[in-house]
Amino acid sequence: MTKDMTGKPVFFKKNTLIRRQKLAVLLHSSEPNVFITTHQQPENIDHRSSNASLPSPDLSSNSSPVYPMSPINQMPSPYSKSPWTLPHGSNGDEGSIHNTALIGSLIREEGHIYSLASSGDLLYTGSDSKNIRVWKNLMEFSGFKSSSGLVKAIVVSGDRIFTGHQDGKIRVWKYSDKKKKAYKRVGNLPTTKDYIKKSMNPNNYIEVRRRRNVPWIKHYDAVACMSLDEERGLLYSGSWDKTMKVWRLSDSKCLESVNAHDDAINSVVVGFDGLVFTGSADGSVKVWRRELVGKTTKHVLVYTLLDQDSAVTSVVVNTSQTTVYAGSSDGLVNFWEREKQTLSHGGVLRGHKLAVLCLATAGNLLLSGSADNSICVWLREGGGIHNCLSVLNGHTGPVKCLAVQDSSEDDDQKNQEWIVYSGSLDNSVNLWRVSEEPEITI
């Protein structure tokens, strides 16, 4: 984003003469096909400025050192089909102290890993097997199965787990039996009662395809993303049906359905200052705010941060630094920083050769997972400068999702380290220790 003569922000606009194939078409046939959209992209893209450095070959070659084994890491999984394994041997220099390391790996035989969520000491994994597995201390703790198909999104709110599925359904689960470590499905979004009630009124129907009308209260295509606003008691869901829906957590009611984009929504994130960010296959990143319109409260489009030809695949917000990041199918990560009452474009991060599929933040770090099988660890420094600290090479397939374990219980605040989980289409989950400190060479 640049500024005009008056100092007002000018946002990116795409060339409307260039027709881009709808990403949703590729996603519906086979979601991994999104990765081929970047194969024909030139590797040296110089039409945008960058203030981030590419990782050096030496940095990426020893980016997955071994973390010393602890008693908890030596515990075997009781499930022979899904064991956590520890890396053997080190590919780093003996004279280096590795602050970033691969701790362990989990190979799932049930399918690709599409979603992750971390809550306390529990890790939830979702795959195309319809199963949600729960892990604790590198051991399988519990699990539950849904009939709604591929698990594309998982969020945890208190004692409830929300899962978004390929068939457009949102399921609600609770931990119900401590002895059996069992989870029970306790509802849906929308609730059956609300859905039947809305279906009775013809005015509640909208046309979604030719000769097909459905009640507006329900997603009719894959739920690709969800985000919680705990302060306001709201849950946001984004779907390939191009809508963003707003749910009230207290009674599971759908308060609003927003026709947010012209193509599939891939990311929805609750940010700072009451803003909500959405990223779509139509190439745009939009900013929304919940405001009083007449006698009702609705989400109003504040502005569009990005409007490009490449699909936006992931959006994440660092609320403490009021920074927004958006990854795209062209392998780039754009970011914006709050300046007074607006968001200004801060630059572009170039660290991947293929599509950026997922993003996560931890302290001053940004992590970007890509279809090139790698994860870049970026450190945000003063002046909005981002440097690539390391490249995590542990997957043999595209990195589809990331989750960061909350480090608020860590008393040693001087040593900024986090536990990072990465899920891949190689059927595995990797567990990393990630630090803001650079590698120390002795």
Side-chain angles (χ1 to χ4, degrees):
M1 185 188 74
T2 58
K3 295 184 178 180
D4 60 14
M5 296 295 292
T6 63
K8 295 182 179 180
V10 179
F11 302 100
F12 286 106
K13 293 294 180 182
K14 64 183 175 184
N15 187 350
T16 55
L17 297 178
I18 301 177
R19 293 186 61 85
R20 183 192 70 258
Q21 183 180 8
K22 295 292 185 181
L23 183 63
V25 176
L26 297 175
L27 291 172
H28 278 291
S29 58
S30 176
E31 186 170 15
N33 285 344
V34 65
F35 313 138
I36 68 175
T37 62
T38 61
H39 288 184
Q40 298 178 352
Q41 296 285 341
E43 291 188 7
N44 297 321
I45 303 175
D46 52 8
H47 66 282
R48 294 177 181 171
S49 61
S50 173
N51 59 2
S53 60
L54 283 171
S56 64
D58 292 339
L59 185 61
S60 61
S61 64
N62 53 13
S63 57
S64 302
V66 177
Y67 183 68
M69 292 179 63
S70 65
I72 194 172
N73 292 339
Q74 298 178 27
M75 292 188 298
S77 169
Y79 293 80
S80 59
K81 291 185 178 181
S82 298
W84 282 93
T85 58
L86 298 171
H88 297 285
S90 174
N91 57 358
D93 298 331
E94 293 181 357
S96 297
I97 300 175
H98 298 292
N99 299 310
T100 296
L102 177 64
I103 299 176
S105 298
L106 166 70
I107 304 299
R108 291 284 308 278
E109 296 183 358
E110 295 176 294
H112 304 320
I113 308 299
Y114 280 92
S115 53
L116 294 172
S118 177
S119 177
D121 57 357
L122 297 179
L123 172 70
Y124 300 84
T125 62
S127 69
D128 52 8
S129 67
K130 305 180 183 180
N131 292 335
I132 298 94
R133 294 296 187 195
V134 188
W135 309 87
K136 184 176 182 179
N137 297 336
L138 298 186
M139 297 181 66
E140 191 153 5
F141 177 75
S142 182
F144 44 100
K145 185 172 184 177
S146 172
S147 60
S148 296
L150 189 154
V151 186
K152 297 188 66 65
I154 306 174
V155 294
V156 182
S157 175
D159 61 348
R160 288 184 292 179
I161 300 95
F162 298 86
T163 56
H165 298 266
Q166 182 79 17
D167 61 3
K169 294 180 180 178
I170 301 175
R171 303 293 197 188
V172 188
W173 311 82
K174 275 190 177 183
Y175 185 54
S176 61
D177 193 329
K178 293 184 178 180
K179 292 184 179 180
K180 296 181 179 180
K181 298 180 181 179
Y183 285 79
K184 179 181 180 182
R185 183 162 66 88
V186 295
N188 307 302
L189 296 181
T191 63
T192 303
K193 180 180 179 181
D194 286 344
Y195 183 74
I196 294 175
K197 184 178 179 181
K198 294 292 183 182
S199 301
M200 301 294 288
N201 187 348
N203 294 329
N204 289 326
Y205 282 77
I206 57 173
E207 184 177 1
V208 296
R209 295 192 184 98
R210 187 179 180 183
R211 297 180 181 178
R212 184 187 178 189
N213 296 328
V214 298
W216 66 267
I217 196 174
K218 182 181 181 298
H219 286 299
Y220 67 88
D221 209 336
V223 177
C225 49
M226 294 184 292
S227 183
L228 284 166
D229 186 342
E230 297 280 11
E231 182 180 348
R232 296 172 176 80
L234 301 175
L235 172 70
Y236 292 83
S237 60
S239 169
W240 288 355
D241 64 14
K242 310 175 189 178
T243 69
M244 173 183 70
K245 297 193 188 298
V246 188
W247 310 87
R248 189 164 57 199
L249 293 174
S250 60
D251 55 8
S252 301
K253 285 188 177 297
C254 185
L255 302 179
E256 187 182 359
S257 181
V258 182
N259 295 319
H261 289 272
D262 297 327
D263 205 338
I265 297 177
N266 292 321
S267 190
V268 57
V269 183
V270 174
F272 43 84
D273 300 337
L275 301 177
V276 179
F277 301 85
T278 55
S280 168
D282 64 12
S284 68
V285 176
K286 294 184 177 181
V287 187
W288 310 83
R289 180 183 284 118
R290 193 167 182 245
E291 297 179 354
L292 185 63
V293 180
K295 296 182 179 180
T296 59
T297 302
K298 295 183 178 181
H299 281 78
V300 178
L301 178 64
V302 181
Y303 39 72
T304 300
L305 287 181
L306 184 67
D307 199 358
Q308 62 180 15
D309 293 303
S310 299
V312 176
T313 52
S314 181
V315 178
V316 73
V317 176
N318 188 322
T319 55
S320 63
Q321 298 179 350
T322 59
T323 304
V324 182
Y325 300 91
S328 305
S329 62
D330 56 8
L332 302 179
V333 178
N334 283 271
F335 69 94
W336 297 262
E337 299 172 318
R338 184 179 66 179
E339 290 185 1
K340 295 182 180 180
Q341 300 300 320
T342 187
L343 285 164
S344 297
H345 188 255
V348 181
L349 310 182
R350 293 183 173 91
H352 296 286
K353 294 182 178 180
L354 300 180
V356 175
L357 302 179
C358 52
L359 297 170
T361 60
N364 295 315
L365 298 179
L366 169 73
L367 298 103
S368 56
S370 171
D372 62 15
N373 306 348
S374 72
I375 304 166
C376 284
V377 181
W378 307 87
L379 175 64
R380 183 184 186 276
E381 298 178 327
I385 302 298
H386 290 70
N387 290 313
C388 185
L389 289 183
S390 59
V391 179
L392 310 182
N393 291 312
H395 288 289
T396 59
V399 181
K400 191 68 179 65
C401 48
L402 294 166
V404 180
Q405 191 174 69
D406 187 4
S407 61
S408 59
E409 296 181 0
D410 188 2
D411 295 331
D412 187 8
Q413 295 297 327
K414 294 181 180 180
N415 188 14
Q416 295 293 329
E417 293 184 352
W418 290 268
I419 297 298
V420 176
Y421 301 95
S422 58
S424 170
L425 300 187
D426 63 7
N427 299 2
S428 75
V429 178
N430 279 349
L431 174 62
W432 310 85
R433 178 182 54 146
V434 177
S435 172
E436 291 186 10
E437 297 297 327
E439 302 299 330
I440 302 174
T441 302
I442 302 175

